Amino acid sequence: MFIHEKNPLDPDSDSETPEHVFFNRRKWLATAGLGIGAAAVAGYLGWRTWRGTDEEVIAGGQVEPTYEGRLAEQFPAPRETRFTYGRRETDQVEAARYTNFYEFSSFKDSWRWVDSFEPYPWTVRVTGLCRNEIRMDLAEFHKSYADALVERQYRHRCVERWAMAVPWTGIPLARLLKDADPLPTATHVRFVSFNRPDQASQQQSSEFPWPYVEGLTIAEAMNDLTLLATGVYGRPLIKQHGAPVRLVVPWKYGFKSIKSIDQIEFVDHEPATFWTTLSPGAYPFESNVEPNVPIPWPQHEEWMLGTKEVFPTQLYNGYSDQVASLYHA
Ligand SMILES: Nc1nc2c(c(=O)[nH]1)N[C@H]1C(S)=C(S)[C@@H](COP(=O)(O)O)O[C@H]1N2
Ligand SMILES: [Mo]
């Protein structure tokens, strides 16, 4: 069974290198024409241990300057002051350095591997059980929803027990979904990430059920908290945070917040997800943040990226007021 993280108790557990993934990397280096000789392996290990400067960590995934220039007017978006972290904001570099993006890395260091990813141009698609399928390129998307673009300070909680507090820019997903006009038969929304093995090295590995997919019930997807994000820290999403468009579902474990979304689809059943497929039984579809429910390990505490401050886990990650009614009739 593949578990999300080797030792979730240990903030430094990402320094371990499980053999199977190291092996894939070697395979990838070989196809990249570097060979699998000792020099390549030594080079690889050197790269894996190079910490990178702050600039490198952020710049590794920088969006195209022309694209960022075009969007400049919309960033930063107006902040909705009703959302506050209740704790210190996570440092931008700490958040960029420690990301989960398995298409690129199993070790939080996806900033090292995202250079080859080309998120522009990109199409936002809403399909499936609806009357008005949507297909828009990102520029059109930003123009159509300029009035809805907001910044929200959200807490984020990974099932591995690390947490962060970051300002996302985006639109409430409900805005887009309503425009697609779902049919009464639609019960869930399925989200699909890109599948580009030529740009994302780990997608060359058949150990993972690519592409990454996730799902929500219609009610969850329509909840006001559910954000379709195109930015973070007041600028367009950098690649390792899921450029150019991702989901943010702050009352659920982080894996529900799927990155780099290629397709949004109305369906009439609970869709299979990446993590339930990879590890049946470990990660339930619902996966709300709940201190007393082990998923799959104990979840009563969390630690913040950067400061390593420890906080008790809050029910629904502290968003009970907005979401508890979804779960108690
Ligand atoms: N496509 C895709 N989306 C993904 C993931 C991933 O590996 N691939 N990881 C998830 C997990 S486990 C978490 S905790 C969050 C992390 O978001 P961040 O790396 O931007 O902090 O993204 C989620 N979305
Ligand atoms: Mo996660």
Side-chain angles (χ1 to χ4, degrees):
M1 181 159 79
F2 188 98
I3 292 283
H4 210 69
E5 168 70 27
K6 283 281 162 207
N7 176 5
L9 278 170
D10 173 10
D12 295 319
S13 61
D14 60 317
S15 56
E16 276 174 48
T17 304
E19 178 60 25
H20 72 285
V21 183
F22 176 57
F23 206 78
N24 289 336
R25 274 294 152 53
R26 280 209 314 209
K27 230 163 47 188
W28 174 71
L29 285 171
T31 39
L34 296 174
I36 53 164
V41 173
Y44 168 82
L45 289 174
W47 177 229
R48 274 280 305 147
T49 48
W50 166 240
R51 251 183 82 71
T53 64
D54 290 359
E55 289 71 26
E56 282 169 317
V57 171
I58 300 253
Q62 203 120 43
V63 299
E64 276 175 45
T66 49
Y67 185 83
E68 185 153 5
R70 253 183 282 142
L71 289 181
E73 280 167 30
Q74 316 209 27
F75 289 84
R79 174 174 301 170
E80 288 191 283
T81 52
R82 65 194 163 113
F83 295 103
T84 53
Y85 303 126
R87 60 187 70 169
R88 213 179 318 187
E89 182 167 282
T90 301
D91 176 78
Q92 174 169 189
V93 177
E94 300 287 353
R97 186 185 286 288
Y98 196 95
T99 58
N100 268 334
F101 207 165
Y102 284 80
E103 285 83 339
F104 298 98
S105 173
S106 302
F107 305 103
K108 316 297 185 245
D109 64 340
S110 49
W111 65 269
R112 293 178 207 275
W113 309 101
V114 291
D115 263 350
S116 49
F117 179 44
E118 291 176 7
Y120 307 100
W122 195 272
T123 306
V124 177
R125 287 191 290 164
V126 186
T127 64
L129 301 170
C130 61
R131 295 184 188 85
N132 182 30
E133 291 200 346
I134 294 175
R135 253 191 102 86
M136 276 184 197
D137 77 22
L138 267 180
E140 204 182 334
F141 172 82
H142 271 108
K143 215 163 108 194
S144 306
Y145 294 102
D147 65 305
L149 204 67
V150 291
E151 183 176 270
R152 290 183 178 177
Q153 303 189 325
Y154 275 169
R155 292 175 296 278
H156 172 101
R157 171 63 147 78
C158 176
V159 76
E160 294 160 349
R161 291 194 290 220
W162 58 267
M164 60 181 186
V166 303
W168 300 104
T169 305
I171 69 164
L173 177 66
R175 263 295 288 268
L176 183 70
L177 296 186
K178 280 178 194 152
D179 287 349
D181 197 7
L183 295 169
T185 46
T187 57
H188 292 76
V189 185
R190 178 173 178 263
F191 303 86
V192 188
S193 289
F194 67 91
N195 193 9
R196 303 181 179 178
D198 53 325
Q199 295 182 17
S201 52
Q202 294 234 117
Q203 290 194 322
Q204 292 174 13
S205 162
S206 55
E207 275 175 79
F208 296 97
W210 306 116
Y212 196 103
V213 288
E214 256 302 337
L216 296 171
T217 65
I218 290 268
E220 292 170 336
M222 293 283 192
N223 187 274
D224 176 52
L225 281 183
T226 306
L227 207 63
L228 192 62
T230 57
V232 69
Y233 292 103
R235 42 176 291 208
L237 283 172
I238 54 174
K239 292 181 189 176
Q240 66 262 47
H241 282 308
V245 58
R246 71 172 289 168
L247 202 64
V248 183
V249 193
W251 74 95
K252 292 180 177 286
Y253 289 114
F255 58 83
K256 301 293 290 184
S257 293
I258 183 173
K259 296 176 171 182
S260 306
I261 301 170
D262 182 52
Q263 193 175 340
I264 300 172
E265 188 187 6
F266 290 105
V267 295
D268 61 2
H269 56 275
E270 184 182 291
T273 72
F274 180 82
W275 287 104
T276 50
T277 305
L278 207 47
S279 197
Y283 308 107
F285 181 82
E286 190 169 272
S287 287
N288 293 324
V289 176
E290 294 185 66
N292 299 322
V293 179
I295 299 183
W297 39 70
Q299 291 289 358
H300 54 277
E301 282 184 339
E302 65 198 33
W303 60 271
M304 302 299 292
L305 294 189
T307 63
K308 300 196 175 166
E309 288 166 284
V310 173
F311 291 97
T313 302
Q314 305 177 74
L315 180 62
Y316 304 130
N317 204 22
Y319 295 102
S320 292
D321 286 356
Q322 291 95 329
V323 301
S325 62
L326 291 171
Y327 308 105
H328 308 291

